[in-house]
Coordinates of all heavy atoms in Angstrom, one line a residue:
E1 N -4.8 0.1 -11.2 CA -5.5 -1.1 -11.9 C -5.8 -2.3 -10.9 O -6.9 -2.8 -11.0 CB -4.6 -1.7 -13.0 CG -4.5 -0.6 -14.1 CD -5.8 -0.2 -14.8 OE1 -6.7 -1.0 -15.1 OE2 -5.9 1.0 -15.0
H2 N -4.9 -2.4 -9.9 CA -5.3 -3.4 -8.9 C -6.5 -3.1 -8.1 O -7.3 -3.8 -7.8 CB -4.1 -3.5 -7.9 CG -4.3 -4.5 -6.8 ND1 -4.6 -4.1 -5.6 CD2 -4.2 -5.8 -6.7 CE1 -4.9 -5.2 -4.8 NE2 -4.6 -6.1 -5.5
G3 N -6.6 -1.8 -7.7 CA -7.8 -1.2 -7.0 C -9.0 -1.3 -7.8 O -10.0 -1.8 -7.3
K4 N -8.9 -1.0 -9.1 CA -10.1 -1.1 -10.1 C -10.6 -2.6 -10.0 O -11.7 -2.8 -10.0 CB -9.8 -0.6 -11.4 CG -9.6 0.9 -11.5 CD -9.2 1.3 -13.0 CE -8.8 2.7 -13.1 NZ -8.4 3.1 -14.4
A5 N -9.6 -3.5 -10.2 CA -10.0 -4.9 -10.4 C -10.6 -5.5 -9.1 O -11.5 -6.3 -9.1 CB -8.7 -5.7 -10.7
T6 N -10.0 -4.9 -8.0 CA -10.6 -5.4 -6.7 C -12.0 -4.9 -6.6 O -12.9 -5.6 -6.1 CB -9.8 -4.8 -5.5 OG1 -8.4 -5.2 -5.6 CG2 -10.3 -5.1 -4.2
H7 N -12.4 -3.6 -7.0 CA -13.7 -3.1 -7.0 C -14.7 -3.9 -7.8 O -15.8 -4.0 -7.4 CB -13.7 -1.6 -7.2 CG -13.3 -0.8 -6.0 ND1 -14.2 -0.4 -5.1 CD2 -12.2 -0.3 -5.6 CE1 -13.6 0.3 -4.2 NE2 -12.3 0.4 -4.5
T8 N -14.2 -4.4 -8.9 CA -15.1 -5.1 -9.8 C -15.2 -6.6 -9.6 O -16.0 -7.2 -10.2 CB -14.7 -4.8 -11.3 OG1 -13.4 -5.4 -11.5 CG2 -14.7 -3.3 -11.8
G9 N -14.4 -7.1 -8.6 CA -14.4 -8.4 -8.2 C -13.6 -9.3 -9.3 O -13.9 -10.6 -9.1
D10 N -12.8 -8.8 -10.1 CA -12.0 -9.5 -11.0 C -10.9 -10.0 -10.4 O -9.7 -9.3 -10.5 CB -11.7 -8.7 -12.3 CG -11.2 -9.4 -13.4 OD1 -10.6 -10.5 -13.1 OD2 -11.3 -9.0 -14.6
H11 N -10.9 -11.2 -9.7 CA -9.7 -11.6 -8.8 C -8.6 -12.0 -9.7 O -7.5 -11.8 -9.3 CB -10.1 -12.9 -8.1 CG -10.5 -14.0 -8.8 ND1 -11.7 -14.3 -9.4 CD2 -9.7 -15.1 -9.1 CE1 -11.7 -15.4 -10.0 NE2 -10.5 -16.0 -9.8
K12 N -8.7 -12.4 -11.1 CA -7.6 -12.7 -11.8 C -6.8 -11.5 -12.3 O -5.7 -11.5 -12.2 CB -8.1 -13.4 -13.2 CG -8.6 -14.8 -13.0 CD -9.1 -15.5 -14.3 CE -9.5 -16.9 -13.9 NZ -10.0 -17.6 -15.1
K13 N -7.5 -10.3 -12.6 CA -6.8 -9.1 -12.8 C -6.1 -8.7 -11.6 O -5.1 -8.1 -11.6 CB -7.7 -8.1 -13.4 CG -7.9 -8.1 -15.0 CD -8.6 -6.9 -15.4 CE -8.9 -7.0 -16.9 NZ -9.6 -5.9 -17.4
A14 N -6.9 -8.7 -10.5 CA -6.4 -8.1 -9.2 C -5.1 -8.9 -8.9 O -4.1 -8.2 -8.5 CB -7.4 -8.3 -8.1
N15 N -5.1 -10.2 -9.0 CA -3.9 -11.0 -8.8 C -2.7 -10.7 -9.7 O -1.5 -10.6 -9.2 CB -4.2 -12.5 -8.8 CG -5.0 -13.0 -7.6 OD1 -5.1 -12.3 -6.6 ND2 -5.6 -14.1 -7.9
K16 N -3.1 -10.4 -10.9 CA -2.0 -10.0 -11.9 C -1.3 -8.9 -11.5 O -0.1 -8.6 -11.5 CB -2.6 -10.0 -13.4 CG -1.7 -9.4 -14.3 CD -2.4 -9.2 -15.7 CE -1.6 -8.2 -16.6 NZ -2.3 -7.8 -17.8
Y17 N -2.2 -7.8 -11.2 CA -1.7 -6.5 -10.8 C -1.0 -6.5 -9.4 O -0.1 -5.7 -9.2 CB -2.7 -5.3 -11.0 CG -3.1 -5.1 -12.4 CD1 -4.4 -5.4 -12.9 CD2 -2.2 -4.4 -13.2 CE1 -4.7 -5.1 -14.2 CE2 -2.4 -4.2 -14.6 CZ -3.7 -4.5 -15.0 OH -4.0 -4.2 -16.3
H18 N -1.4 -7.4 -8.5 CA -0.7 -7.5 -7.2 C 0.7 -8.0 -7.6 O 1.7 -7.4 -6.9 CB -1.5 -8.5 -6.5 CG -0.8 -8.6 -5.1 ND1 0.2 -9.6 -4.8 CD2 -0.9 -8.0 -4.0 CE1 0.6 -9.6 -3.7 NE2 0.0 -8.6 -3.0
G19 N 0.8 -9.0 -8.4 CA 2.2 -9.4 -8.8 C 3.1 -8.3 -9.4 O 4.2 -8.1 -9.1
L20 N 2.5 -7.4 -10.3 CA 3.2 -6.3 -10.8 C 3.6 -5.3 -9.8 O 4.7 -4.7 -9.8 CB 2.4 -5.8 -12.1 CG 2.2 -6.6 -13.1 CD1 1.2 -6.0 -14.2 CD2 3.5 -6.9 -13.9
L21 N 2.6 -5.0 -8.9 CA 3.0 -4.1 -7.8 C 4.1 -4.6 -6.9 O 5.0 -3.9 -6.5 CB 1.6 -4.0 -6.9 CG 0.7 -3.0 -7.5 CD1 -0.6 -3.1 -6.6 CD2 1.1 -1.6 -7.5
I22 N 4.2 -5.9 -6.6 CA 5.3 -6.5 -5.8 C 6.5 -6.3 -6.5 O 7.7 -6.0 -6.1 CB 5.0 -7.9 -5.3 CG1 3.8 -8.0 -4.5 CG2 6.3 -8.6 -4.9 CD1 4.2 -7.4 -3.2
E23 N 6.6 -6.6 -7.9 CA 7.8 -6.5 -8.8 C 8.3 -5.0 -8.7 O 9.3 -4.7 -8.6 CB 7.4 -6.9 -10.1 CG 7.3 -8.4 -10.4 CD 7.0 -8.7 -11.8 OE1 7.3 -7.9 -12.6 OE2 6.4 -9.8 -12.0
A24 N 7.3 -4.1 -8.9 CA 7.7 -2.7 -8.8 C 8.3 -2.3 -7.4 O 9.3 -1.5 -7.3 CB 6.5 -1.8 -9.2
L25 N 7.6 -2.8 -6.4 CA 8.2 -2.5 -5.0 C 9.6 -2.9 -4.9 O 10.4 -2.3 -4.4 CB 7.3 -3.1 -4.0 CG 7.7 -3.0 -2.6 CD1 7.7 -1.5 -2.2 CD2 6.9 -3.9 -1.6
L26 N 9.9 -4.2 -5.4 CA 11.2 -4.7 -5.2 C 12.2 -3.9 -6.0 O 13.4 -3.7 -5.6 CB 11.3 -6.2 -5.7 CG 10.4 -7.1 -4.8 CD1 10.4 -8.5 -5.4 CD2 10.9 -7.1 -3.3
V27 N 11.8 -3.3 -7.2 CA 12.7 -2.5 -8.0 C 13.0 -1.1 -7.1 O 14.1 -0.7 -7.0 CB 12.1 -2.3 -9.4 CG1 12.8 -1.0 -10.0 CG2 12.0 -3.5 -10.2
L28 N 11.9 -0.7 -6.6 CA 12.1 0.7 -5.8 C 13.0 0.3 -4.6 O 13.9 1.2 -4.4 CB 10.7 1.1 -5.4 CG 9.8 1.7 -6.3 CD1 8.5 2.1 -5.7 CD2 10.5 3.0 -6.8
R29 N 13.0 -0.9 -4.0 CA 13.8 -1.1 -2.9 C 15.2 -1.2 -3.4 O 16.1 -0.9 -2.5 CB 13.3 -2.5 -2.2 CG 11.9 -2.3 -1.5 CD 12.0 -1.6 -0.2 NE 10.8 -1.9 0.4 CZ 10.0 -1.0 1.0 NH1 10.5 0.3 1.0 NH2 8.9 -1.2 1.6
Q30 N 15.4 -1.7 -4.5 CA 16.8 -1.8 -5.0 C 17.6 -0.5 -5.2 O 18.8 -0.3 -5.3 CB 16.9 -2.6 -6.3 CG 16.5 -4.0 -6.2 CD 16.4 -4.8 -7.7 OE1 16.5 -4.1 -8.7 NE2 16.2 -5.9 -7.6
H31 N 16.7 0.6 -5.3 CA 17.2 2.0 -5.5 C 17.4 2.7 -4.3 O 17.6 3.9 -4.3 CB 16.3 2.7 -6.6 CG 16.5 2.2 -7.8 ND1 17.4 2.5 -8.7 CD2 15.6 1.3 -8.6 CE1 17.3 1.8 -10.0 NE2 16.2 1.1 -9.8
G32 N 17.4 2.1 -3.0 CA 17.7 2.6 -1.8 C 16.9 3.9 -1.5 O 15.6 3.9 -1.7
A33 N 17.5 4.9 -1.1 CA 16.9 6.2 -0.6 C 16.0 6.8 -1.8 O 14.8 7.4 -1.6 CB 17.9 7.2 -0.2
E34 N 16.5 6.7 -3.0 CA 15.8 7.2 -4.2 C 14.4 6.6 -4.4 O 13.4 7.1 -4.6 CB 16.6 7.2 -5.4 CG 16.0 7.9 -6.7 CD 16.8 7.8 -7.9 OE1 18.0 7.4 -7.7 OE2 16.3 8.0 -8.9
G35 N 14.5 5.2 -4.3 CA 13.2 4.4 -4.3 C 12.3 4.7 -3.3 O 11.1 4.7 -3.4
D36 N 12.9 4.9 -2.0 CA 12.0 5.1 -0.8 C 11.4 6.4 -1.1 O 10.1 6.6 -0.8 CB 12.9 5.2 0.4 CG 13.3 4.0 0.9 OD1 12.9 2.8 0.4 OD2 14.3 3.9 1.8
R37 N 12.1 7.4 -1.5 CA 11.4 8.9 -1.8 C 10.3 8.7 -2.9 O 9.2 9.3 -2.6 CB 12.3 9.9 -2.4 CG 13.2 10.4 -1.1 CD 14.1 11.6 -1.7 NE 15.0 11.3 -2.7 CZ 16.3 10.7 -2.5 NH1 16.7 10.4 -1.3 NH2 17.1 10.4 -3.5
A38 N 10.5 7.8 -3.9 CA 9.4 7.7 -4.9 C 8.2 6.9 -4.2 O 7.0 7.4 -4.5 CB 10.0 6.8 -6.0
L39 N 8.4 6.0 -3.4 CA 7.3 5.4 -2.7 C 6.6 6.4 -1.8 O 5.4 6.4 -1.7 CB 7.8 4.1 -1.9 CG 6.8 3.2 -1.3 CD1 5.9 2.7 -2.5 CD2 7.5 2.1 -0.7
V40 N 7.4 7.1 -1.0 CA 6.7 8.1 0.0 C 6.0 9.3 -0.9 O 4.9 9.5 -0.3 CB 7.9 8.7 0.8 CG1 7.4 10.0 1.6 CG2 8.4 7.7 1.8
A41 N 6.3 9.5 -2.1 CA 5.5 10.5 -2.8 C 4.1 9.9 -3.2 O 3.2 10.8 -3.2 CB 6.4 10.8 -4.0
L42 N 3.9 8.7 -3.2 CA 2.7 8.0 -3.5 C 1.7 8.2 -2.2 O 0.5 8.0 -2.5 CB 2.8 6.6 -3.8 CG 3.6 6.4 -5.2 CD1 3.7 4.9 -5.4 CD2 2.8 6.9 -6.3
L43 N 2.2 8.5 -1.1 CA 1.4 8.7 0.1 C 0.4 9.8 -0.2 O -0.7 9.8 0.6 CB 2.1 9.0 1.3 CG 3.1 7.8 1.9 CD1 3.9 8.3 2.9 CD2 2.2 6.6 2.1
S44 N 0.6 10.8 -1.0 CA -0.4 11.9 -1.3 C -1.2 11.5 -2.5 O -2.0 12.5 -2.9 CB 0.5 13.2 -1.3 OG 1.3 13.1 -2.4
D45 N -1.1 10.5 -3.1 CA -2.0 10.2 -4.2 C -3.5 10.3 -3.9 O -3.8 10.0 -2.7 CB -1.6 8.7 -4.7 CG -2.2 8.6 -6.1 OD1 -3.4 8.3 -6.3 OD2 -1.4 8.7 -7.1
E46 N -4.3 10.8 -4.7 CA -5.7 10.8 -4.4 C -6.5 9.5 -4.4 O -7.4 9.5 -3.8 CB -6.3 11.9 -5.5 CG -5.8 13.2 -5.4 CD -6.6 14.2 -6.4 OE1 -7.7 13.8 -6.9 OE2 -6.0 15.3 -6.6
D47 N -5.9 8.6 -5.1 CA -6.6 7.2 -5.2 C -6.3 6.4 -3.7 O -5.2 6.2 -3.4 CB -6.0 6.4 -6.3 CG -6.7 5.0 -6.6 OD1 -6.8 4.3 -5.6 OD2 -7.2 4.8 -7.7
A48 N -7.4 6.1 -3.2 CA -7.2 5.4 -1.8 C -6.6 4.2 -2.0 O -5.8 3.8 -1.1 CB -8.7 5.2 -1.2
S49 N -6.8 3.4 -3.0 CA -6.0 2.1 -3.2 C -4.4 2.3 -3.3 O -3.7 1.7 -2.8 CB -6.3 1.4 -4.6 OG -7.7 1.0 -4.4
V50 N -4.1 3.5 -4.0 CA -2.7 3.7 -4.1 C -2.1 4.2 -2.8 O -1.0 3.7 -2.5 CB -2.4 4.9 -5.3 CG1 -1.0 5.3 -5.2 CG2 -2.8 4.4 -6.6
K51 N -2.9 5.1 -2.2 CA -2.4 5.6 -0.8 C -2.3 4.4 0.2 O -1.4 4.4 1.0 CB -3.5 6.6 -0.3 CG -2.9 7.3 0.9 CD -4.0 8.4 1.3 CE -3.9 9.6 0.5 NZ -4.6 10.8 1.1
C52 N -3.2 3.5 0.2 CA -3.3 2.5 1.1 C -2.0 1.6 0.9 O -1.3 1.1 1.7 CB -4.5 1.7 1.1 SG -4.6 0.3 2.3
W53 N -1.9 1.2 -0.3 CA -0.7 0.2 -0.8 C 0.6 1.0 -0.5 O 1.5 0.4 0.3 CB -0.7 0.1 -2.2 CG 0.5 -0.8 -2.8 CD1 1.7 -0.5 -3.3 CD2 0.3 -2.3 -2.7 NE1 2.4 -1.6 -3.5 CE2 1.6 -2.7 -3.3 CE3 -0.5 -3.2 -2.4 CZ2 1.9 -4.0 -3.4 CZ3 -0.2 -4.6 -2.7 CH2 1.1 -5.0 -3.1
A54 N 0.8 2.2 -0.8 CA 2.1 3.0 -0.5 C 2.2 3.1 1.0 O 3.3 3.0 1.5 CB 2.0 4.4 -1.1
G55 N 1.1 3.4 1.7 CA 1.3 3.5 3.2 C 1.6 2.3 3.9 O 2.6 2.3 4.8
T56 N 1.1 1.2 3.4 CA 1.6 -0.1 3.9 C 3.1 -0.3 3.7 O 3.8 -0.7 4.6 CB 0.8 -1.3 3.3 OG1 -0.6 -1.2 3.4 CG2 1.3 -2.7 3.7
H57 N 3.5 -0.1 2.5 CA 4.9 -0.3 2.2 C 6.0 0.9 2.6 O 7.1 0.6 2.5 CB 5.0 -0.7 0.8 CG 4.4 -2.0 0.5 ND1 4.8 -3.2 0.9 CD2 3.2 -2.2 -0.1 CE1 4.0 -4.1 0.6 NE2 2.9 -3.6 0.0
C58 N 5.4 1.9 3.2 CA 6.2 2.9 3.7 C 6.4 3.0 5.2 O 7.2 3.7 5.9 CB 5.7 4.3 3.3 SG 5.9 4.9 1.5
L59 N 5.7 2.0 5.9 CA 5.7 1.8 7.3 C 7.2 1.7 7.7 O 7.4 2.4 8.8 CB 4.8 0.8 7.8 CG 3.3 0.9 7.9 CD1 2.6 -0.2 8.0 CD2 3.0 2.1 8.9
K60 N 8.0 1.1 7.1 CA 9.4 0.9 7.6 C 10.3 1.9 7.0 O 11.5 2.1 7.5 CB 9.9 -0.5 7.2 CG 10.2 -0.8 5.8 CD 10.7 -2.3 5.7 CE 11.3 -2.5 4.3 NZ 11.9 -3.9 4.3
V61 N 9.7 2.8 6.1 CA 10.5 4.0 5.6 C 10.4 5.2 6.4 O 11.2 5.9 6.6 CB 10.2 4.1 4.1 CG1 11.0 5.3 3.5 CG2 10.6 2.8 3.2
D62 N 9.1 5.5 6.4 CA 8.7 6.8 7.2 C 7.4 6.5 7.9 O 6.3 6.8 7.3 CB 8.4 7.9 6.3 CG 8.2 9.2 6.8 OD1 7.7 9.3 8.0 OD2 8.4 10.2 6.2
E63 N 7.5 5.9 9.1 CA 6.3 5.2 9.8 C 5.3 6.4 10.0 O 4.0 6.4 10.0 CB 6.8 4.6 11.0 CG 5.5 4.1 11.8 CD 5.8 3.4 13.1 OE1 7.1 3.2 13.3 OE2 4.8 3.0 13.7
T64 N 5.7 7.6 10.4 CA 4.8 8.8 10.7 C 4.0 9.1 9.5 O 2.7 9.1 9.6 CB 5.7 10.0 11.2 OG1 6.4 9.5 12.5 CG2 4.7 11.1 11.5
Q65 N 4.7 9.4 8.4 CA 3.9 9.7 7.3 C 2.9 8.6 6.7 O 1.8 8.8 6.3 CB 4.9 10.2 6.1 CG 5.5 11.4 6.3 CD 4.6 12.6 6.4 OE1 3.8 12.8 7.3 NE2 4.6 13.6 5.4
A66 N 3.5 7.4 6.8 CA 2.7 6.3 6.4 C 1.4 6.1 7.1 O 0.4 5.8 6.7 CB 3.6 5.0 6.4
R67 N 1.6 6.2 8.6 CA 0.5 6.0 9.4 C -0.6 7.2 9.1 O -1.8 6.9 9.2 CB 0.9 6.1 10.9 CG 1.6 4.8 11.3 CD 2.2 4.9 12.7 NE 1.1 5.1 13.6 CZ 0.6 4.2 14.6 NH1 1.2 3.0 14.6 NH2 -0.3 4.5 15.4
L68 N -0.1 8.4 8.9 CA -1.1 9.5 8.6 C -1.8 9.2 7.3 O -3.0 9.4 7.2 CB -0.2 10.8 8.4 CG 0.2 11.4 9.8 CD1 1.1 12.7 9.3 CD2 -0.9 11.9 10.6
A69 N -1.1 8.7 6.3 CA -1.8 8.2 5.0 C -2.8 7.1 5.3 O -4.0 7.2 4.8 CB -0.8 8.0 4.0
L70 N -2.4 6.1 6.1 CA -3.3 5.1 6.3 C -4.5 5.4 7.2 O -5.5 5.0 6.9 CB -2.5 3.8 6.9 CG -1.6 3.1 6.0 CD1 -0.7 2.3 6.9 CD2 -2.3 2.2 5.1
E71 N -4.3 6.3 8.1 CA -5.4 6.8 8.9 C -6.3 7.5 8.2 O -7.6 7.4 8.3 CB -4.9 7.6 10.1 CG -4.1 6.7 11.2 CD -3.3 7.5 12.2 OE1 -3.1 8.8 12.2 OE2 -2.8 6.9 13.1
S72 N -5.9 8.2 7.2 CA -6.9 9.0 6.4 C -7.7 8.1 5.5 O -8.9 8.3 5.2 CB -6.1 10.1 5.4 OG -5.5 9.4 4.4
V73 N -7.1 7.0 5.0 CA -7.8 6.0 4.2 C -8.7 5.2 5.1 O -10.0 4.9 4.8 CB -6.9 5.2 3.4 CG1 -7.6 4.0 2.7 CG2 -6.1 5.9 2.4
A74 N -8.2 4.8 6.3 CA -9.0 4.1 7.2 C -10.3 4.8 7.8 O -11.2 4.0 8.1 CB -8.1 3.7 8.5
S75 N -10.3 6.0 7.7 CA -11.4 6.8 8.0 C -12.6 6.7 7.0 O -13.7 7.2 7.2 CB -11.1 8.2 8.3 OG -10.7 8.9 7.3
G76 N -12.3 6.3 5.9 CA -13.2 6.2 4.6 C -13.8 4.8 4.6 O -13.5 4.0 5.3
P77 N -14.8 4.8 3.6 CA -15.6 3.6 3.4 C -14.8 2.6 2.4 O -13.8 2.9 2.0 CB -16.8 4.2 2.7 CG -16.2 5.3 1.9 CD -15.2 5.9 2.7
G78 N -15.5 1.5 2.3 CA -15.1 0.5 1.3 C -13.9 -0.4 1.7 O -13.4 -0.4 2.7
I79 N -13.6 -1.2 0.6 CA -12.4 -2.1 0.9 C -11.2 -1.4 1.2 O -10.3 -1.9 2.0 CB -12.3 -3.0 -0.4 CG1 -11.2 -4.2 -0.1 CG2 -11.7 -2.2 -1.6 CD1 -11.8 -5.1 0.9
E80 N -10.8 -0.2 0.7 CA -9.6 0.5 1.0 C -9.6 1.0 2.6 O -8.5 0.7 3.2 CB -9.4 1.8 0.2 CG -9.2 1.4 -1.2 CD -10.5 1.4 -2.0 OE1 -11.6 1.6 -1.4 OE2 -10.4 1.2 -3.2
G81 N -10.7 1.5 3.1 CA -10.8 1.8 4.4 C -10.7 0.6 5.4 O -9.9 0.7 6.3
F82 N -11.3 -0.5 4.9 CA -11.1 -1.7 5.8 C -9.6 -2.2 5.7 O -9.1 -2.6 6.7 CB -11.9 -2.9 5.2 CG -11.7 -4.2 5.8 CD1 -12.4 -4.5 7.0 CD2 -11.0 -5.2 5.1 CE1 -12.1 -5.8 7.6 CE2 -10.9 -6.4 5.7 CZ -11.3 -6.7 6.9
N83 N -9.0 -2.3 4.6 CA -7.7 -2.6 4.4 C -6.7 -1.8 5.1 O -5.8 -2.3 5.9 CB -7.2 -2.7 2.9 CG -7.7 -3.9 2.1 OD1 -8.2 -4.8 2.7 ND2 -7.7 -3.6 0.8
A84 N -6.9 -0.5 5.1 CA -6.0 0.4 5.9 C -6.2 0.2 7.5 O -5.3 0.2 8.3 CB -6.4 1.8 5.6
R85 N -7.5 0.0 7.9 CA -7.7 -0.3 9.3 C -7.0 -1.6 9.7 O -6.3 -1.7 10.7 CB -9.2 -0.4 9.6 CG -9.8 0.9 9.5 CD -11.3 0.9 10.1 NE -12.1 0.1 9.2 CZ -12.8 0.5 8.2 NH1 -12.6 1.7 7.7 NH2 -13.7 -0.3 7.5
M86 N -7.1 -2.6 8.9 CA -6.4 -4.0 9.2 C -4.9 -3.8 9.1 O -4.1 -4.3 10.0 CB -6.8 -5.1 8.2 CG -8.2 -5.4 8.3 SD -8.7 -6.1 10.0 CE -9.5 -4.7 10.7
V87 N -4.2 -3.0 8.2 CA -2.9 -2.8 8.2 C -2.4 -2.0 9.5 O -1.5 -2.5 10.1 CB -2.5 -1.9 6.9 CG1 -0.9 -1.4 7.0 CG2 -2.5 -2.8 5.7
L88 N -3.1 -1.0 9.9 CA -2.8 -0.4 11.1 C -2.9 -1.2 12.3 O -1.9 -1.1 13.2 CB -3.7 0.9 11.3 CG -3.3 2.1 10.3 CD1 -4.5 3.1 10.4 CD2 -2.1 2.7 10.6
S89 N -3.9 -2.0 12.4 CA -4.1 -2.9 13.5 C -3.0 -3.9 13.6 O -2.4 -4.1 14.8 CB -5.4 -3.6 13.4 OG -5.7 -4.5 14.4
E90 N -2.6 -4.4 12.5 CA -1.7 -5.6 12.5 C -0.2 -4.9 12.8 O 0.6 -5.5 13.5 CB -1.6 -6.3 11.2 CG -2.8 -7.1 11.0 CD -3.1 -8.2 12.2 OE1 -2.2 -9.1 12.3 OE2 -4.0 -8.1 12.9
W91 N 0.1 -3.9 12.3 CA 1.3 -3.0 12.4 C 1.4 -2.7 13.9 O 2.5 -3.0 14.5 CB 1.3 -1.8 11.6 CG 2.7 -1.0 11.8 CD1 2.9 0.1 12.5 CD2 3.9 -1.4 11.2 NE1 4.1 0.6 12.4 CE2 4.8 -0.3 11.6 CE3 4.3 -2.4 10.4 CZ2 6.1 -0.4 11.2 CZ3 5.7 -2.4 10.0 CH2 6.5 -1.4 10.3
K92 N 0.3 -2.3 14.7 CA 0.4 -1.9 16.1 C 0.7 -3.2 16.9 O 1.4 -3.1 17.9 CB -0.8 -1.3 16.4 CG -0.9 0.2 16.0 CD -2.4 0.7 16.4 CE -2.6 2.0 15.7 NZ -4.1 2.6 15.7
K93 N 0.2 -4.2 16.4 CA 0.4 -5.5 17.2 C 1.7 -6.0 17.0 O 2.2 -7.1 17.6 CB -0.6 -6.6 16.8 CG -2.0 -6.2 17.3 CD -2.9 -7.4 17.1 CE -3.5 -7.4 15.7 NZ -4.7 -8.6 15.7
G94 N 2.5 -5.5 15.9 CA 3.8 -6.2 15.5 C 3.6 -7.4 14.7 O 4.6 -8.2 14.5
A95 N 2.5 -7.7 14.1 CA 2.2 -8.9 13.4 C 2.3 -8.7 11.9 O 2.0 -9.6 11.2 CB 0.8 -9.3 13.7
L96 N 2.7 -7.5 11.5 CA 2.8 -7.3 10.0 C 4.3 -7.2 9.6 O 5.1 -6.4 10.1 CB 2.1 -5.9 9.7 CG 2.0 -5.6 8.2 CD1 1.2 -6.5 7.4 CD2 1.4 -4.2 8.1
T97 N 4.6 -8.0 8.6 CA 6.0 -7.9 8.0 C 5.8 -7.1 6.7 O 5.0 -7.7 5.8 CB 6.5 -9.3 7.7 OG1 6.5 -9.9 9.0 CG2 8.0 -9.3 7.2
V98 N 6.6 -6.1 6.4 CA 6.5 -5.3 5.3 C 7.8 -5.6 4.5 O 8.8 -5.3 5.0 CB 6.3 -3.8 5.5 CG1 6.3 -3.0 4.3 CG2 5.0 -3.6 6.4
P99 N 7.7 -6.1 3.2 CA 8.9 -6.3 2.4 C 9.6 -4.9 2.0 O 9.1 -3.9 2.1 CB 8.4 -7.0 1.1 CG 7.0 -6.8 1.1 CD 6.5 -6.4 2.5

């Protein structure tokens, strides 16, 4: 839903869903390895928004798989491709902090 709202330019919905995504991420983090496995599973999602989000938040869990997912999104068009390219760039520079 965050990706859909971003594509339609509905910043209020996008912000709402961003907040929900962060809440879900924090719950997954509370579940340790089981939560990490659930997050890593999202790296193969067909939706580029999901893959980009999961890739970003898996960088500290499984950097190799996360980078592969982000690189696949980065090679594509649109906001997801741009976001994935920026995430990879900032991660390589050491300028990205992932919760």
Side-chain angles (χ1 to χ4, degrees):
E1 294 302 317
H2 178 264
K4 288 178 190 175
T6 299
H7 277 275
T8 63
D10 189 338
H11 69 279
K12 288 183 181 182
K13 273 189 182 177
N15 289 341
K16 172 188 168 186
Y17 287 113
H18 180 269
L20 292 172
L21 284 168
I22 293 296
E23 287 177 25
L25 176 65
L26 295 176
V27 169
L28 287 173
R29 295 280 193 233
Q30 291 173 354
H31 290 279
E34 184 180 348
D36 289 344
R37 282 190 298 276
L39 192 56
V40 168
L42 295 174
L43 294 174
S44 60
D45 197 279
E46 291 182 19
D47 186 304
S49 295
V50 173
K51 189 181 282 192
C52 186
W53 182 269
T56 300
H57 296 285
C58 282
L59 282 166
K60 69 179 194 178
V61 174
D62 186 339
E63 183 176 355
T64 301
Q65 292 294 70
R67 287 175 61 111
L68 287 171
L70 287 165
E71 288 166 359
S72 76
V73 175
S75 67
I79 189 72
E80 294 89 0
F82 173 78
N83 287 342
R85 288 189 295 277
M86 292 301 101
V87 167
L88 288 165
S89 173
E90 294 302 301
W91 181 255
K92 288 175 189 172
K93 289 192 276 186
L96 181 64
T97 302
V98 179

